[in-house]
């Protein structure tokens, strides 16, 4: 669907404004904002929660449905990559090992 140019410009300007405001919110005050201890503790887990929210659906779902078969290359790749990470604590190694398992299963076996 082709949108009018002015609507596209308004959308881009609005998204830019929202992004700048939300990212600069913590930079505007001159002193550190007082946060309750429960909120400070909870914010420590925000990056992990964000990563899980992005990665979990990509690994566990296909076409908006949960995976119904174990013959999916993503599952063994995630298991092996997770085991590697907990054994060696290496992010690069985790990626390499995960892809080394995923690619042959996906390309050769068609999983």
């Amino acid at each position: 669907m082709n949108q009018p140019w002015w609507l596209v410009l308004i959308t881009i300007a609005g998204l830019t404004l929202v992004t700048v405001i939300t990212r600069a919110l913590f930079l505007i005050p001159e002193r550190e904002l007082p946060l309750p201890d429960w909120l400070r503790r909870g914010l420590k887990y925000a990056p992990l929660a964000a990563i899980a929210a992005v990665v979990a659906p990509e690994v566990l779902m296909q076409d908006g449905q949960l995976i119904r078969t174990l013959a999916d290359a993503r599952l063994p790749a995630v298991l092996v990559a997770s085991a590697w990470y907990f054994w060696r604590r290496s992010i690069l190694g985790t990626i390499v090992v995960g892809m080394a398992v995923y690619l042959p299963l996906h390309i050769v076996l068609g999983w």
Side-chain angles (χ1 to χ4, degrees):
M1 184 172 3
N2 198 1
Q3 300 291 335
W5 65 269
W6 56 269
L7 187 59
V8 173
L9 252 112
I10 290 173
T11 303
I12 291 172
L15 289 170
T16 302
L17 184 66
V18 167
T19 301
V20 168
I21 289 173
T22 56
R23 292 184 183 245
L25 187 63
F26 295 102
L27 300 174
I28 294 171
E30 291 183 11
R31 59 182 175 80
E32 187 175 331
L33 295 174
L35 296 175
D37 283 339
W38 61 268
L39 182 58
R40 191 178 305 273
R41 282 193 313 268
L43 286 175
K44 289 187 342 186
Y45 299 104
L48 179 61
I51 290 173
V54 170
V55 172
E58 196 61 38
V59 171
L60 301 175
M61 298 180 80
Q62 183 175 12
D63 299 327
Q65 302 289 325
L66 284 175
I67 296 174
R68 297 183 191 269
T69 178
L70 294 177
D72 191 306
R74 294 175 290 184
L75 298 176
V78 166
L79 291 174
V80 172
S82 298
W84 177 270
Y85 176 77
F86 286 114
W87 178 48
R88 301 296 290 194
R89 300 282 187 207
S90 164
I91 297 292
L92 180 60
T94 301
I95 295 169
V96 169
V97 167
M99 290 307 292
V101 172
Y102 174 79
L103 286 176
L105 290 175
H106 184 69
I107 293 172
V108 176
L109 296 181
W111 284 15

